[in-house]
C-alpha cells in the first residue's frame, strides 16, 4: 500500500489507522450552545510543565456523579441536568461508560447523582405536599385482646 504525505510517498506492507478521541463539546450539535460553559481540566488545574498533557487539559472537569461543571454561575444554570457518562469521564473519575469493568462502580454514582438532582428539582413541591398532608395515621380503636382461645 502506498501512502501519499506532504513529504512524499511511502510504501507499507500493513497500515493501522486510529482516529483517536477528542473531547470537544462544541463538535456535538446538542452541546454546542453550552460548550463554552463547560469547565475543562485546563480551567481547574495547571500541572508542572513536565507533566503537562494537552489531551487531558481538554477533558471535561466533572463532578462526583458525572455532572458537567460550569465555569460561571450562569453556566451552571445552563448545564443543570447534563451528565457526561462517556469516555471523557475517565480523567475526572477514573470511571467511564467505555469500560465494562468499571460499570459496577460508575452506574451507582450516575444513578445517585441523577435521582438526587431530580429530587432537589422537585423538593419544594414535595415538601409542600408533605406539610399539607393531614390524614391521621391510625383511626378508630384497636380491638381488645379476648384472651387465649380454647379449643
Amino acid at each position: 500500500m502506498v501512502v501519499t504525505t506532504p513529504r512524499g510517498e511511502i510504501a507499507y506492507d500493513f497500515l493501522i489507522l486510529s482516529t483517536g478521541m477528542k473531547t470537544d463539546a462544541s463538535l456535538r450539535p446538542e452541546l454546542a450552545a453550552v460548550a463554552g460553559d463547560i469547565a475543562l481540566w485546563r480551567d481547574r488545574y495547571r500541572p508542572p510543565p513536565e507533566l503537562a498533557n494537552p489531551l487531558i487539559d481538554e477533558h471535561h472537569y466533572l463532578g462526583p456523579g458525572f455532572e458537567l461543571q460550569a465555569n460561571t454561575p450562569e453556566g451552571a444554570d445552563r448545564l443543570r441536568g447534563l451528565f457526561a457518562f462517556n469516555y471523557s469521564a475517565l480523567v475526572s473519575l477514573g470511571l467511564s461508560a467505555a469500560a465494562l469493568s468499571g460499570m459496577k462502580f460508575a452506574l451507582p454514582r450516575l444513578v445517585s447523582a441523577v435521582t438526587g438532582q431530580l429530587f432537589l428539582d422537585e423538593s419544594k413541591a414535595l415538601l409542600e405536599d408533605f406539610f399539607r398532608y393531614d390524614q391521621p395515621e391510625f383511626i378508630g380503636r384497636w380491638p381488645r385482646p379476648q384472651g387465649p382461645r380454647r379449643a
Side-chain angles (χ1 to χ4, degrees), residues 2-142:
V2 176
V3 176
T4 303
T5 72
R7 295 183 180 182
E9 292 185 349
I10 305 169
Y12 293 96
D13 293 329
F14 301 98
L15 189 61
I16 299 172
L17 300 174
S18 174
T19 59
M21 296 187 165
K22 183 169 180 72
T23 301
D24 185 348
S26 68
L27 299 176
R28 300 292 321 160
E30 64 275 15
L31 294 174
V34 296
D37 295 319
I38 299 171
L40 305 177
W41 266 87
R42 71 169 179 244
D43 301 325
R44 303 291 173 91
Y45 176 70
R46 295 274 186 212
E50 67 274 11
L51 297 177
N53 185 322
L55 291 175
I56 291 175
D57 291 346
E58 295 298 316
H59 277 74
H60 302 135
Y61 188 88
L62 301 178
F66 297 90
E67 62 271 30
L68 292 172
Q69 300 294 294
N71 286 324
T72 64
E74 300 80 27
D77 290 340
R78 289 188 286 272
L79 295 178
R80 186 154 179 81
L82 295 180
F83 298 80
F85 191 64
N86 56 27
Y87 185 76
S88 71
L90 187 63
V91 176
S92 290
L93 299 167
L95 300 166
S96 76
L100 290 177
S101 61
M103 288 290 181
K104 85 179 226 182
F105 305 104
L107 286 173
R109 276 185 175 215
L110 177 66
V111 169
S112 180
V114 171
T115 56
Q117 189 170 80
L118 290 171
F119 177 78
L120 289 175
D121 288 349
E122 296 296 320
S123 62
K124 183 178 179 188
L126 291 169
L127 284 173
E128 287 172 359
D129 287 349
F130 176 76
F131 291 125
R132 267 197 315 268
Y133 185 79
D134 191 24
Q135 181 69 31
E137 281 292 315
F138 301 105
I139 49 179
R141 301 183 99 177
W142 291 97

